[in-house]
Amino acid sequence: MSDPVIEIKAVSKSFRRNHVLREMSLEVERGQTFAFLGRNGAGKTTAIRLLLGLLDRDEGEIRVLGLDPTEQPLELRARVGYLAEDQTMYGWMRCAEMLSFIAPFYPTWDHELALKYAREFEVPLQTKIKHLSKGQNVRLGLVLSLAHRPELVILDDPALGLDPIMRKQFNRDLITHLQGEGRTVFYSSHLLYEVEPVADQVAILDQGQVVRQCDTEHLRSDVKQIMLGRDAVSLVDQGSILDQRPDGPEMAIIVEGAEAILDKLQREGTDHRVVDLNLDEIFEAYVVGQGETEPVASTNR
Amino acid sequence: MNDLTQPIRSIWLSLFWKEWHEHKWKLVSLTALCTLGLCLFGLSGPHSLQQGVHAIAHFYAMLAGIFLGMSTAGRESSRNTLPFLQSLPVPMWQPAAAKLLVVLCTATLPILALTCIYCVWHTFYSISGIDLSQSNWYGPNNKFYNWGISNWLVATILSSILVASSLILWIAAAGANRSDEIRAGAIGFLIVCLIWLPLAFGLNIADKWDLPMLKYWVGILFAAAPGGVAFVGTGYGSQGSTDWWQNFLPYLESAIVGHGCVLIWYLRHYGKAGPGTSRTDGKTLALASSGYQYLAPPMRSQLTAIAWKQVRETGPLALLAIAGVLLLTTISHFTNDYQVCRHNLGETLGGITASVCFFVTLVTGIGVFLEDLKPQVDQFWRSHPVDYRLWFGVKFVVGATILAVTFGSLMLLALLLSDRSLFGGDPHPATAVGFTGLVFLLIYTLSMATYCILRQPLYAAVLTFGLLFAGIIIPQLICHHFFDTTLPSQAKLPLLLLSQVAATFVAWKAVKNNWQMGEI
């Protein structure tokens, strides 16, 4: 039975003439780790701000944990843990002061858990925030966003600015930890290789629209690169082609709905080769490919 | 310059272009403030013009000196643009010098504009047959009478420019690399007071024990102190003797050498790692390995948490204000000619408390939401389940309470010292105290509201001054022109309360509407 934690239906948001989100739709099920992918400026942060009620939508409907973020922002934020990209906090506070300060705002705050996380993440509690390194700052932000045992954790490119080793540790340890606790994680990023091992579902945002949302495994099997003769390209439905480029005497096309297309090519007896793609290549095909794609609703395709 | 299809040809042009774009609206707003002030004086009658130029030029010099100085020192850090500036392949003294030059121009041009407007007005009245030299202010009793009107104007303008420039340089040097404008201004102000204090003592000792050589040398040192150069010039300018230049030269040399040293210090230190800019260092690492054992219990309520935060943010400024008032009172008490006694000390303390209270109230009002409304921090606190109404209300009340306690204590001390003579002439001293308190509350709220709207400390200060000018003078003018009377005293309190409600409402709306989020 469907138990969506996040429901976004045909949401649009503009800043003056700049249309950041255009009828965007997606759904996140409880307990999933959801990778929200898009290039810089695609609208990921705006979508997250809408989810938290930090911005008002122009059109559409949003429900997070069954609440409308615009109508009940405080109730919602009390149940959500949020870590922004490049989060800035009050530099004059010590880490311990920050934890004590934030605690009363959350009815479910667990100070023992905060201390446990602070020890695990090696947050120097007696150090002023302005003296923290980038990594320590991110880890303090994590403690703040997890110590009230949130039902939903929203991470907006949190590992941005960390060195590669720390990024790997962050993804492996933290996401695995959260998955182990059964929390829903909404993870926004533009680096696919990082989310590939941990994400249950993927949504690709491009120019303010979700161009694809589905299970990670399904996406890998559904999107393939096919090498075939130039004349044979006409056999493939143009709407399924995400990207195409000449490769010697052949054409390399990246398609979605690969199974059906391969069946058809087999039936027609056309020579072809299939190349598996990783998420990076699939993402690239969706956002910079030279095919034509339509935005999708919040259904798995 | 806006169409940058071609690269700028030199480093200096590039730096000046940047600074000009950052300061052009400051220049416009400061010029508008001076012009508005002069126009309001002018509307009171042609003979008020000269008094207006004198008052505005000197008041503006102090205002511009302090606010442009703190902006020069702390703006890049506050906007988090200092690392970018540091990453440019030029020595840091070049951006620092470009910034200082543009700021000095920004401070100077409004004074020159003021002069031009006065000259036009003066010429207009001369053509109309009104002799401004017959004004009461510019009469034989005035110490500038013997100067002639042109020389008076030059002296007024020159001294204002020198005071503004000197204060800018000193405060920019003293507050360089602080994390924001308010901290830079507070540190700068304290250092200025600390420099004045020994000089004031020196003058007092020289006067008391009749030591002309000591007085001479302290005077020389005073020329190098913040703003001191203008006072020295004024004092010697009125002598009119033939060896004027000979007497004046040592003071000029002292001023040049002193300010030159401060300039060198500023250029060498601006943009260098200062307080609060270091990242993980040895101390941090040591703490990281040993300091994460203890965690204080959580705060009891949201109200306590927000109040604690506000006390931590406003408290240091209040303590600094107390130190500043006591220092200035000491300086003033020992440099004045009057008899040194408890009563006079109380009178001096009361006067200085009122003056400092005005500036500190303004700065505190701006500072209440200074950090909260910085783009990234704004997102941080709003993304937690924080009720902005509680956030606004507690911060507003706690900030006002700290100010009331700080300056209330100082005024009480002044009253006790002066044997309750501060409001002795008023038939209702309690009403006078209450009304004064409301005026300061309005200044606090107004500066908070202007900052919340503009989110730029300097513009907020200028707009607050403009609104205060307009709020004081326009009702008087309306009464004068339409009803041929002065503003009745019964109308003052309702007007004050109405302004208070309006300013609070505007501030509340500006905090509620988080416009920064709209920027992507």
Side-chain angles (χ1 to χ4, degrees):
Chain A
M1 188 180 155
S2 173
D3 180 18
V5 170
I6 298 174
E7 289 176 276
I8 301 178
K9 289 179 186 167
V11 166
S12 298
K13 178 68 189 171
S14 303
F15 298 102
R16 296 196 179 95
R17 289 181 184 176
N18 185 8
H19 301 287
V20 180
L21 299 178
R22 304 155 192 251
E23 300 196 353
M24 177 190 142
S25 298
L26 65 80
E27 253 184 37
V28 180
E29 295 292 322
R30 190 172 294 276
Q32 275 188 338
T33 297
F34 188 93
F36 190 47
L37 309 171
R39 300 179 75 187
N40 291 332
K44 300 190 297 293
T45 298
T46 300
I48 288 173
R49 286 174 176 175
L50 289 171
L51 290 178
L52 289 165
L54 294 169
L55 287 174
D56 289 342
R57 58 192 178 270
D58 298 337
E59 289 169 22
E61 198 181 320
I62 301 179
R63 307 292 288 180
V64 181
L65 297 166
L67 303 170
D68 183 331
T70 313
E71 301 294 324
Q72 298 159 287
L74 299 187
E75 291 85 342
L76 172 66
R77 285 174 214 160
R79 294 167 61 189
V80 173
Y82 170 56
L83 181 58
E85 60 176 323
D86 201 16
Q87 179 153 280
T88 307
M89 294 171 270
Y90 297 99
W92 57 268
M93 284 190 197
R94 295 181 191 281
C95 298
E97 289 176 331
M98 174 57 85
L99 292 173
S100 299
F101 170 72
I102 283 293
F105 294 98
Y106 290 95
T108 56
W109 182 268
D110 184 340
H111 215 50
E112 288 299 315
L113 184 64
L115 183 59
K116 178 176 165 278
Y117 279 139
R119 284 174 177 159
E120 274 180 19
F121 299 157
E122 297 183 343
V123 174
L125 289 177
Q126 302 310 318
T127 303
K128 286 191 175 180
I129 290 170
K130 66 182 173 189
H131 292 140
L132 295 182
S133 67
K134 178 84 187 169
Q136 288 170 328
N137 202 58
V138 171
R139 297 202 300 264
L140 173 64
L142 271 173
V143 177
L144 291 171
S145 57
L146 298 178
H148 59 291
R149 300 184 187 280
E151 295 166 56
L152 167 66
V153 181
I154 297 177
L155 304 170
D156 185 3
D157 226 342
L160 191 76
L162 298 183
D163 63 60
I165 293 169
M166 285 188 74
R167 293 183 75 104
K168 269 186 187 169
Q169 277 180 346
F170 179 88
N171 288 312
R172 190 188 58 213
D173 299 344
L174 178 79
I175 305 294
T176 310
H177 171 79
L178 292 173
Q179 284 173 333
E181 292 197 333
R183 300 194 199 286
T184 310
V185 181
F186 186 89
Y187 191 140
S188 158
S189 180
H190 63 280
L191 298 170
L192 274 86
Y193 63 90
E194 292 191 335
V195 297
E196 193 167 0
V198 290
D200 302 317
Q201 277 249 331
V202 175
I204 297 172
L205 186 71
D206 187 37
Q207 295 178 5
Q209 295 176 310
V210 174
V211 292
R212 188 74 201 261
Q213 181 192 345
C214 67
D215 291 347
T216 315
E217 284 308 314
H218 178 75
L219 185 66
R220 278 205 205 93
S221 61
D222 190 53
V223 180
K224 300 279 184 191
Q225 179 173 297
I226 304 172
M227 311 291 292
L228 72 178
R230 294 191 178 201
D231 296 341
V233 175
S234 57
L235 294 172
V236 180
D237 174 19
Q238 291 299 305
S240 305
I241 299 176
L242 301 173
D243 191 21
Q244 54 185 324
R245 59 185 167 76
D247 185 21
E250 296 182 307
M251 283 293 283
I253 60 169
I254 298 176
V255 294
E256 59 180 2
E259 200 176 341
I261 292 165
L262 291 172
D263 279 349
K264 187 176 180 185
L265 291 175
Q266 220 133 34
R267 280 200 307 274
E268 298 288 335
T270 310
D271 280 346
H272 64 273
R273 282 182 294 122
V274 181
V275 180
D276 287 337
L277 301 173
N278 61 28
L279 268 189
D280 266 337
E281 291 161 327
I282 294 172
F283 175 70
E284 190 182 339
Y286 272 105
V287 300
V288 295
Q290 293 172 5
E292 282 184 6
T293 53
E294 294 295 320
V296 294
S298 59
T299 51
N300 285 358
R301 288 181 11 174
Chain B
M1 287 290 263
N2 279 328
D3 183 20
L4 288 177
T5 50
Q6 297 292 320
I8 298 174
R9 287 174 187 275
S10 82
I11 290 169
W12 282 109
L13 274 180
S14 188
L15 291 172
F16 282 129
W17 174 83
K18 168 192 170 288
E19 295 302 334
W20 162 244
H21 274 269
E22 287 181 359
H23 285 87
K24 61 184 177 186
W25 290 111
K26 287 178 191 164
L27 174 63
V28 170
S29 58
L30 288 170
T31 308
L33 184 70
C34 288
T35 309
L36 172 73
L38 190 62
C39 289
L40 291 174
F41 268 97
L43 289 172
S44 303
H47 296 302
S48 304
L49 266 182
Q50 203 168 3
Q51 192 175 357
V53 169
H54 188 82
I56 291 168
H58 286 96
F59 182 69
Y60 166 82
M62 293 291 288
L63 173 79
I66 292 170
F67 282 97
L68 285 174
M70 60 198 254
S71 168
T72 309
R75 193 176 186 276
E76 298 283 356
S77 299
S78 165
R79 299 263 143 188
N80 209 18
T81 49
L82 193 57
F84 171 75
L85 215 53
Q86 288 166 326
S87 71
L88 295 176
V90 291
M92 271 310 287
W93 71 266
Q94 284 184 317
K99 185 178 287 296
L100 187 67
L101 273 171
V102 174
V103 167
L104 291 178
C105 290
T106 308
T108 304
L109 289 175
I111 301 177
L112 297 177
L114 195 70
T115 316
C116 293
I117 294 166
Y118 173 75
C119 290
V120 169
W121 220 321
H122 190 271
T123 311
F124 171 76
Y125 281 125
S126 299
I127 293 166
S128 308
I130 300 170
D131 185 5
L132 290 183
S133 65
Q134 297 303 312
S135 73
N136 290 334
W137 194 78
Y138 186 72
N141 293 330
N142 193 298
K143 67 175 179 175
F144 299 114
Y145 181 71
N146 293 327
W147 284 35
I149 200 156
S150 306
N151 289 341
W152 163 81
L153 191 60
V154 170
T156 301
I157 299 311
L158 198 62
S159 66
S160 307
I161 290 172
L162 288 175
V163 167
S165 305
S166 173
L167 283 175
I168 286 170
L169 182 58
W170 271 97
I171 292 177
N177 308 326
R178 297 283 153 187
S179 58
D180 60 51
E181 291 97 326
I182 301 291
R183 283 181 177 83
I187 296 291
F189 177 69
L190 187 68
I191 287 179
V192 166
C193 288
L194 285 171
I195 290 167
W196 282 342
L197 183 68
L199 295 173
F201 270 120
L203 277 182
N204 181 257
I205 290 166
D207 273 343
K208 197 178 280 182
W209 292 338
D210 196 22
L211 301 168
M213 274 310 285
L214 178 63
K215 189 172 182 178
Y216 173 77
W217 283 107
V218 171
I220 297 264
L221 286 175
F222 220 100
V229 59
F231 300 114
V232 172
T234 307
Y236 276 82
S238 58
Q239 289 186 350
S241 58
T242 49
D243 56 353
W244 174 85
W245 177 248
Q246 289 296 323
N247 288 333
F248 183 66
L249 197 59
Y251 294 91
L252 186 64
E253 287 168 352
S254 167
I256 291 171
V257 171
H259 287 82
C261 289
V262 177
L263 177 66
I264 290 168
W265 196 95
Y266 163 78
L267 294 176
R268 286 172 66 96
H269 286 83
Y270 184 85
K272 298 286 173 3
T277 56
S278 65
R279 283 288 177 182
T280 311
D281 50 13
K283 185 182 162 195
T284 310
L285 287 172
L287 282 166
S289 60
S290 64
Y292 56 82
Q293 296 300 326
Y294 175 71
L295 180 59
M299 294 189 189
R300 280 177 298 174
S301 67
Q302 298 187 12
L303 195 146
T304 318
I306 301 168
W308 168 81
K309 177 176 172 293
Q310 193 54 40
V311 169
R312 291 285 303 268
E313 286 176 352
T314 309
L317 199 61
L319 290 176
L320 207 64
I322 292 173
V325 166
L326 296 178
L327 279 172
L328 284 174
T329 304
T330 314
I331 293 164
S332 179
H333 188 62
F334 289 108
T335 47
N336 273 329
D337 295 335
Y338 59 58
Q339 190 189 355
V340 176
C341 67
R342 204 185 76 167
H343 172 80
N344 285 339
L345 181 63
E347 294 275 340
T348 311
L349 177 62
I352 287 176
T353 301
S355 313
V356 171
C357 182
F358 176 77
F359 276 100
V360 173
T361 303
L362 184 83
V363 172
T364 306
I366 290 170
V368 173
F369 285 99
L370 182 74
E371 196 162 13
D372 291 319
L373 297 182
K374 284 180 185 171
Q376 292 298 327
V377 181
D378 188 46
Q379 173 165 310
F380 171 72
W381 70 266
R382 285 183 200 274
S383 66
H384 291 281
V386 176
D387 186 340
Y388 69 88
R389 288 164 295 194
L390 184 72
W391 191 265
F392 175 84
V394 175
K395 285 179 77 73
F396 175 76
V397 170
V398 172
T401 307
I402 290 172
L403 281 180
V405 169
T406 304
F407 291 103
S409 314
L410 288 168
M411 285 307 272
L412 190 66
L413 181 64
L415 279 169
L416 291 174
L417 287 171
S418 62
D419 296 326
R420 299 172 184 275
S421 64
L422 281 179
F423 292 96
D426 199 299
H428 305 291
T431 314
V433 171
F435 189 80
T436 310
L438 281 177
V439 169
F440 281 111
L441 182 65
L442 178 62
I443 295 168
Y444 167 76
T445 315
L446 209 53
S447 55
M448 188 172 75
T450 51
Y451 177 74
C452 291
I453 293 170
L454 301 173
R455 305 193 179 187
Q456 298 259 12
L458 188 93
Y459 292 124
V462 171
L463 183 58
T464 305
F465 274 109
L467 290 170
L468 286 173
F469 268 150
I472 291 167
I473 296 175
I474 288 175
Q476 296 280 8
L477 286 174
I478 290 171
C479 286
H480 180 70
H481 282 280
F482 292 102
F483 305 108
D484 202 21
T485 179
T486 55
L487 185 68
S489 57
Q490 300 94 315
K492 286 178 184 170
L493 187 62
L495 266 178
L496 195 64
L497 292 175
L498 194 68
S499 310
Q500 177 64 42
V501 171
T504 311
F505 178 74
V506 169
W508 181 74
K509 287 291 282 182
V511 171
K512 182 189 171 198
N513 298 326
N514 48 336
W515 300 312
Q516 299 278 7
M517 293 283 175
E519 296 169 12
I520 56 162

